[in-house]
Amino acid sequence: MRRTTLVTATAACLTGALVLTACGGGGGSTDTGSDTGEVTFWDTSGPNESPVFTKIAQDCATKGGYKVKTETVAFDAALNNYKTAAQGGQGPDVFRAEVAWVPQLAKNSLVVDLSDTDLAKDTSDFLETPLGSTKFEGKSYGVPQVTDSLALFYNKKLLTAAGVQPPKTWAEVKDVAAKLGGEKSFFLNNDAYYALPFIYGAGGDLVDADSKKIVVNSAANVKALQTAKGLLDAKAASTALDPSNSYNNMQAGFSSGEVAMVVNGPWSVADYLKGAAFTDATNLGIAPVPGDTAGKGSAPVGGHDYVIRQGTKAKASSVKFIQCMSGTDAQVQVAKELGLLPTRKSAYDNADVKAQPVVAAFEPVAKAAHARPWIPEGGQLFDPLKIAYADFLAGKKDAKTALDEVAKAYQDQVVPEYSIG
Amino acid sequence: MVLPVVVVIAVLVLYPLAQGVFFTFTNINEANIANPVLDRAATYIGVGFRNYAHVLSGDTSYGAFWSTLVRTLIWTFSCVFFHYVIGLGLALLLNREVRGRSVYRVLLILPWAVPAFISAFTWKYMFNAQYGIINQALRAVGVDNPPVWLGQNDWALVAVIIVNVWLGVPFMMVALLGGLQSIPGDLYEAAEVDGATPWQRFRHITLPGLRSVSSTVVLLGIIWTFNMFAIIYLITGPNPNTRILVTYAFERFFSGASRDYAIASTYGVLILSVLLVFAGVYRRALRKQGEVW
Amino acid sequence: MTLDASSLKVVRPDRVAHKRHERSRAASTALHATLAIASLIAVFPVFWVLVTSFKPDARAVETTPKLFNESSLDNYTRILSGDKGSFLTWFGNSVLIALMTTVVAVFLSATTGYAASRFRFPGKRTLMMSFLVVQMFPFAVLIVPLYNILLTLGLQGEQFGLVLVYCTTAVPFCTYMLKGYFDTVPTDIDEAGRVDGLSPFGVFWRLILPLAKPGLAVTAFYAFITAWGEVAFASAFLSAADESKTLAVGLQVFVQQNRTEWGHLAAASILVAIPAIAVFYLVQRFLVAGLASGAVKG
């Protein structure tokens, strides 16, 4: 059939457009020597925190004599988009990477080795555990930005009315439950990350990276899980058996004053203070997580690090940028305005920071936080555990079976070169 | 006339697809793929059919392929069945002279117009075992222990099927409504004159008249539902009770330290094969009824 | 009883004519009741999003569902004023991309569908089959090869690149649908048009297309909605700069690492759904047009 003029024209245009863009576009300059002086910074913090980071970034840029462009990226998609872009030579110059992402980015050569830059020079001011998250195979790949951990939040009024102190052990949680309304006294979040206080408190861990062993199904962990379920069975705590709604239920319950105690991180303070039960901010109590024995509660460390993309055309400027953003002044400002925990010891000595109630309350918690295995597969450890924990709390499996399955999943899919035991 | 489409499809679809198929015969992942930007040579190796062997063995560490396939089939056929039946019913009702028809049409289209991830969040909240409105309503009418909809049990699959049906009915309804419009009204009049009952009119005029549209939307509905990842993942997260083939491909692909292109593509090719087989059977069945593809 | 073929008028006793145009009360109520219940089920979750959109974030997830809970327009004002990101820019980007996708996809699939319906050309079977096959593979798995192709073509970060990617999703489906609709249009119309001196394209443009309006309406809406609500490709293939984001990507900022701002997310969702509903409202009248009786015969 004969093609009509209009359709041929369209075909020509389309093909032409493709050809033209192929000719005109393509990769950027391959001049790796010079620094473009423009730093693109991907910030995953969200619309409440990003304005503060953007402002500090701008100040750093003005002082340092380079340009910075802060782009907000949604947290869920950030890692994947970064990896997709970086493998093609595109993407930001500086990236705010969650601590679990740094080892995998390092392994895939998607971030710059900072060991011979100024950023690796004087790191003594940084807290030890967050600093550990920036190292991979002996080299340094990032600079800590903020850190966090889990603590016990409690409703001071409810506890005083019942005449109890914040519990220091899980057994105490059970004991005080009767006075605090039984099931409503504590909300157990049905998520693997929130099972870690139980696990660490019992002396267990997920994997032992140094000896390459999978220890998630150790006797200590079995005991830990049983402690958690014990709270539910003794009607000393409640949970949500649908894991995807568990966090929201915890927030709704605690903010409204129905639930007396929860375990959560510093990010939740902003939400709590808007809740009906905490219009008076002094009502929000923060204490270290309970443990198996008093004073031995242990919570996982979290946080974010700055990394520089491999293939960046603004390496020198990025180094300067990170130096400024992770400097004491910047950290103090972030702590003051956002209540996020600094990673520098000197920041905690600052009077303004000491006066910030959330940071002050979390300081001992952050300094005692339990390190996580900084292996590239670190982030993958949580999904199998999440499913097993949910099955266990729902009563579908007993602790040993559930954890054995997690161990098998780890060995088959996550860390095949490790051995169980 | 067809050239631009062919060019675009070839470049943007067939080429990546060919690469995907190539991946399945290697152990390619993010760490060993060639990367000229990062000055890294390829270090992957060809592994023949090993990936397929692993996956098809049904090993749980590769996603328990067969049980997941069964669940995928249950998911697909339940959804499409309800999509079609409810969609057809609504289309038939809307095809008549009803007062306020355009109002009903706009209301019934809302599930399609609202972006899926927002609906997912709302339904997740509605299915909240503790605070969700569905369980609150059930408790109000006396059901003492309403199910934990999104928990570690099969109710989770029921819940996501309900959501997907809610999401997919408007599209079916609109497509079939369009199809109904093209059936000449004279045929109905003639049949009524001949004394045909409504049911006979439906069977002998409506259904055949809709055949070409129906067969298209049902086949496409099956293909899309089979690959529907977003709803399940947004509502239940990684839950073995709602795992279908494509969600496993993504769990394995995106949450890995080195995104495993090989296994993810293997799943893709297997999904493609299952659907191809199905499409072949479907075509044969239609051809028997006189449809020309 | 006779059937007059040329005028299709029925010569029949009054009894039947009476029944044909009136519906009994009971049937009418039943009809309305069914439609009302269906509408309620369709609308309720959307209604709940609307109700939530007025509540502040802290009150959005509640222990007992309430219609109003410190409800106000604050979420909307904050979003529209750009406090939570340049919403209006995202809106503009989405409109542009969705419109481009709709126009390109419908045009390409209408021409291809018509060609497939009417003509025989080499590779036709393969082409239609490949349209099907192309939808069977979960393409998000191939996001990295796709990214690299767009990069090579210089379309990475460009809106047109994203439009093309959306077209590869929309065109196969639209072509199938339109071929189906074109198949229901009798070829006598084509012949009549040719006899009247129209070129093949003229026949297509002037005679066939208007008759396939319902099909065009469905496919146009489908293409629009696909582009309007898509997240994964839009987030990977466009620049992360605020000015470049589409609405769907921009909305993700409300879902943060540890919390979701439900109130704002709901408000933004309503703002996102309104144009989609508006487009549908515009498009739906074509669903009523059909083959006018008498256009063919006579």
Side-chain angles (χ1 to χ4, degrees):
Chain A
M1 273 328 271
R2 186 117 50 88
R3 299 209 181 94
T4 65
T5 16
L6 183 57
V7 181
T8 331
T10 319
C13 283
L14 212 58
T15 334
L18 285 175
V19 169
L20 278 174
T21 46
C23 291
S29 82
T30 48
D31 184 1
T32 46
S34 64
D35 181 306
T36 58
E38 274 187 44
V39 175
T40 306
F41 170 49
W42 274 13
D43 183 13
T44 56
S45 59
N48 298 314
E49 296 165 357
S50 199
V52 175
F53 287 114
T54 310
K55 180 157 185 319
I56 300 178
Q58 268 311 118
D59 292 341
C60 283
T62 334
K63 268 189 297 185
Y66 49 84
K67 285 202 263 214
V68 77
K69 192 171 190 314
T70 307
E71 295 178 346
T72 49
V73 188
F75 181 81
D76 285 332
L79 180 63
N80 276 308
N81 287 349
Y82 178 85
K83 285 177 169 181
T84 305
Q87 62 85 39
Q90 311 287 311
D93 299 294
V94 176
F95 182 44
R96 177 190 190 249
E98 214 250 341
V99 284
W101 299 350
V102 178
Q104 15 170 326
L105 293 176
K107 175 160 177 229
N108 291 324
S109 310
L110 295 174
V111 289
V112 171
D113 179 2
L114 302 172
S115 313
D116 51 4
T117 65
D118 289 338
L119 293 174
K121 281 216 177 74
D122 185 15
T123 54
S124 54
D125 191 24
F126 285 106
L127 294 173
E128 202 185 306
T129 319
L131 190 64
S133 71
T134 63
K135 304 231 191 319
F136 181 66
E137 288 180 352
K139 304 204 197 86
S140 167
Y141 287 94
V143 177
Q145 183 202 52
V146 288
T147 184
D148 57 58
S149 187
L150 295 178
L152 181 75
F153 286 88
Y154 60 94
N155 187 324
K156 282 191 192 152
K157 263 199 220 116
L158 291 179
L159 261 64
T160 358
V164 300
Q165 291 292 315
K168 294 206 175 51
T169 67
W170 297 115
E172 273 182 39
V173 172
K174 230 190 276 190
D175 295 336
V176 303
K179 300 195 199 126
L180 282 173
E183 281 191 326
K184 295 223 178 280
S185 73
F186 182 77
F187 191 95
L188 190 64
N189 191 10
N190 191 344
D191 185 28
Y193 193 73
Y194 292 77
L196 290 179
F198 290 99
I199 291 178
Y200 292 154
D205 206 334
L206 299 182
V207 297
D208 184 344
D210 296 326
S211 55
K212 293 205 186 293
K213 281 200 189 302
I214 296 170
V215 294
V216 69
N217 55 346
S218 63
N221 284 7
V222 173
K223 182 161 156 298
L225 254 57
Q226 284 165 343
T227 314
K229 190 123 188 295
L231 291 177
L232 293 177
D233 294 336
K235 303 253 186 272
S238 56
T239 188
L241 292 179
D242 41 352
S244 45
N245 281 316
S246 180
Y247 187 81
N248 288 324
N249 287 8
M250 175 168 76
Q251 296 300 82
F254 189 63
S255 307
S256 62
E258 269 185 35
V259 171
M261 302 182 287
V262 294
V263 167
N264 209 339
W267 53 79
S268 55
V269 173
D271 288 332
Y272 293 147
L273 292 180
K274 292 195 215 131
F278 301 104
T279 41
D280 170 15
T282 57
N283 191 24
L284 183 63
I286 304 176
V289 290
D292 277 11
T293 48
K296 287 277 192 259
S298 189
V301 74
H304 299 267
D305 300 334
Y306 291 110
V307 293
I308 300 182
R309 178 177 63 87
Q310 181 81 264
T312 174
K313 304 215 168 51
K315 183 170 168 190
S317 305
S318 302
V319 169
K320 279 195 279 180
F321 177 68
I322 295 180
Q323 265 178 320
C324 176
M325 292 289 283
S326 63
T328 315
D329 291 336
Q331 294 213 358
V332 167
Q333 195 177 342
V334 166
K336 247 186 357 185
E337 296 188 38
L338 298 174
L340 299 177
L341 308 178
T343 48
R344 278 182 180 274
K345 300 181 197 136
S346 53
Y348 284 101
D349 293 333
N350 182 292
D352 288 330
V353 172
K354 281 197 205 276
Q356 223 277 5
V358 177
V359 179
F362 263 92
E363 186 186 343
V365 176
K367 291 196 171 146
H370 192 288
R372 282 160 39 192
W374 302 125
I375 53 177
E377 300 84 1
Q380 286 174 270
L381 296 173
F382 288 110
D383 268 351
L385 184 60
K386 179 181 159 92
I387 296 173
Y389 192 50
D391 281 340
F392 167 68
L393 288 180
K396 277 179 70 172
K397 301 196 175 105
D398 68 287
K400 186 94 183 79
T401 324
L403 289 175
D404 282 339
E405 284 176 8
V406 177
K408 181 169 186 299
Y410 282 177
Q411 186 168 57
D412 289 338
Q413 303 170 36
V414 183
V415 278
E417 65 276 12
Y418 285 26
S419 57
I420 301 187
Chain B
M1 217 171 184
V2 213
L3 184 63
V5 174
V6 174
V7 168
V8 171
I9 298 264
V11 170
L12 283 182
V13 172
L14 292 180
Y15 184 64
L17 191 54
Q19 278 189 302
V21 174
F22 171 68
F23 289 162
T24 63
F25 295 112
T26 67
N27 68 344
I28 244 180
N29 60 39
E30 209 163 26
N32 60 27
I33 194 171
N35 198 320
V37 167
L38 306 177
D39 253 347
R40 191 175 64 200
T43 47
Y44 59 84
I45 54 169
V47 298
F49 285 94
R50 192 179 73 188
N51 291 330
Y52 290 102
H54 279 311
V55 173
L56 290 173
S57 68
D59 196 343
T60 43
S61 57
Y62 286 92
F65 181 78
W66 299 104
S67 56
T68 315
L69 176 63
V70 167
R71 195 176 306 113
T72 315
L73 291 173
I74 296 177
W75 154 261
T76 307
F77 288 114
S78 325
C79 288
V80 176
F81 174 76
F82 286 113
H83 282 163
Y84 186 75
V85 167
I86 301 178
L88 183 60
L90 290 175
L92 286 171
L93 292 178
L94 284 179
N95 198 26
R96 302 174 172 217
E97 291 292 332
V98 186
R99 248 178 323 154
R101 179 161 59 169
S102 40
V103 172
Y104 280 125
R105 263 205 297 259
V106 173
L107 290 181
L108 289 169
I109 208 69
L110 282 180
W112 193 13
V114 175
F117 71 86
I118 293 157
S119 315
F121 281 123
T122 314
W123 276 100
K124 191 164 85 160
Y125 181 44
M126 283 174 44
F127 276 124
N128 188 325
Q130 179 75 2
Y131 300 131
I133 202 143
I134 293 178
N135 275 7
Q136 301 247 14
L138 284 175
R139 271 182 224 124
V141 296
V143 178
D144 270 335
N145 250 338
V148 176
W149 291 103
L150 302 177
Q152 307 296 108
N153 51 47
D154 287 326
W155 283 111
L157 189 61
V158 173
V160 289
I161 289 178
I162 293 177
V163 179
N164 198 33
V165 168
W166 179 86
L167 274 174
V169 160
F171 164 72
M172 278 284 177
M173 179 187 84
V174 167
L176 292 173
L177 192 56
L180 283 175
Q181 301 299 330
S182 64
I183 301 177
D186 345 331
L187 287 177
Y188 287 110
E189 290 176 22
E192 212 175 336
V193 160
D194 286 346
T197 64
W199 173 249
Q200 282 173 321
R201 288 203 297 272
F202 177 71
R203 263 199 74 201
H204 295 286
I205 303 181
T206 314
L207 279 186
L210 276 181
R211 174 165 300 138
S212 101
V213 176
S214 290
S215 54
T216 309
V217 292
V218 167
L219 180 61
L220 288 172
I222 289 177
I223 294 175
W224 291 340
T225 311
F226 204 85
N227 276 325
M228 172 65 77
F229 156 79
I231 292 300
I232 294 183
Y233 202 73
L234 285 173
I235 297 185
T236 62
N239 184 335
N241 299 89
T242 55
R243 183 179 289 160
I244 61 174
L245 291 175
V246 73
T247 57
Y248 187 75
F250 279 102
E251 279 173 45
R252 196 54 190 258
F253 177 57
F254 279 117
S255 63
S258 296
R259 295 189 286 187
D260 194 338
Y261 300 141
I263 299 282
S265 304
T266 310
Y267 262 85
V269 170
L270 288 172
I271 290 174
L272 173 63
S273 315
V274 171
L275 287 174
L276 266 180
V277 166
F278 176 75
V281 169
Y282 194 73
R283 272 175 74 197
R284 192 109 42 86
L286 282 182
R287 216 179 278 151
K288 281 203 200 119
Q289 294 178 21
E291 182 71 20
V292 176
W293 278 80
Chain C
M1 186 172 41
T2 54
L3 186 63
D4 187 330
S6 59
S7 63
L8 292 173
K9 247 192 163 332
V10 173
V11 179
R12 248 258 188 197
D14 284 333
R15 183 168 43 99
V16 175
H18 172 81
K19 247 199 197 153
R20 188 162 23 100
H21 291 292
E22 274 181 32
R23 203 183 286 127
S24 70
R25 228 31 218 311
S28 207
T29 338
L31 191 59
H32 275 278
T34 319
L35 282 175
I37 294 177
S39 303
L40 203 66
I41 298 177
V43 168
F44 184 75
V46 184
F47 171 71
W48 195 255
V49 175
L50 183 66
V51 163
T52 311
S53 70
F54 294 118
K55 302 178 187 163
D57 291 331
R59 298 275 178 275
V61 178
E62 317 152 298
T63 50
T64 33
K66 289 188 227 155
L67 262 189
F68 299 107
N69 197 342
E70 296 185 20
S71 300
S72 69
L73 285 177
D74 278 349
N75 292 337
Y76 287 98
T77 41
R78 242 175 273 140
I79 292 174
L80 287 171
S81 67
D83 270 350
K84 298 275 182 186
S86 6
F87 187 83
L88 295 173
T89 318
W90 302 339
F91 192 87
N93 290 333
S94 275
V95 168
L96 191 57
I97 291 176
L99 281 182
M100 275 203 281
T101 308
T102 310
V103 168
V104 175
V106 172
F107 184 73
L108 288 181
S109 42
T111 49
T112 314
Y114 181 69
S117 171
R118 294 298 191 246
F119 309 139
R120 274 196 306 268
F121 50 88
K124 167 173 153 178
R125 273 283 175 85
T126 328
L127 188 68
M128 294 309 284
M129 204 48 205
S130 76
F131 281 157
L132 257 191
V133 168
V134 143
Q135 297 183 68
M136 294 178 184
F137 192 91
F139 264 88
V141 158
L142 296 173
I143 200 170
V144 171
L146 263 175
Y147 184 90
N148 290 335
I149 290 175
L150 285 181
L151 201 54
T152 321
L153 291 176
L155 290 173
Q156 163 52 32
E158 300 292 328
Q159 290 184 331
F160 189 62
L162 190 62
V163 168
L164 281 184
V165 172
Y166 287 155
C167 285
T168 60
T169 321
V171 164
F173 160 70
C174 293
T175 311
Y176 250 100
M177 284 296 282
L178 285 176
K179 174 178 178 300
Y181 281 116
F182 287 135
D183 281 345
T184 64
V185 175
T187 44
D188 325 353
I189 300 190
D190 294 50
E191 287 168 22
R194 216 76 53 70
V195 160
D196 284 350
L198 287 172
S199 66
F201 188 78
V203 170
F204 169 67
W205 189 257
R206 279 154 161 243
L207 291 183
I208 307 297
L209 263 194
L211 290 172
K213 276 204 190 114
L216 287 175
V218 173
T219 49
F221 188 61
Y222 171 79
F224 182 84
I225 287 286
T226 305
W228 188 250
E230 203 278 332
V231 177
F233 288 147
S235 147
F237 295 152
L238 288 178
S239 155
D242 218 31
E243 321 68 85
S244 307
K245 292 184 181 150
T246 60
L247 272 177
V249 176
L251 245 56
Q252 303 301 310
V253 298
F254 295 119
V255 182
Q256 291 143 33
Q257 179 186 5
N258 291 305
R259 46 200 287 265
T260 310
E261 297 186 3
W262 291 100
H264 289 99
L265 183 64
S269 311
I270 297 290
L271 291 173
V272 166
I274 291 177
I277 298 171
V279 168
F280 177 71
Y281 195 74
L282 288 175
V283 148
Q284 66 152 347
R285 53 199 169 101
F286 296 112
L287 288 174
V288 196
L291 276 177
S293 55
V296 179
K297 307 178 168 56

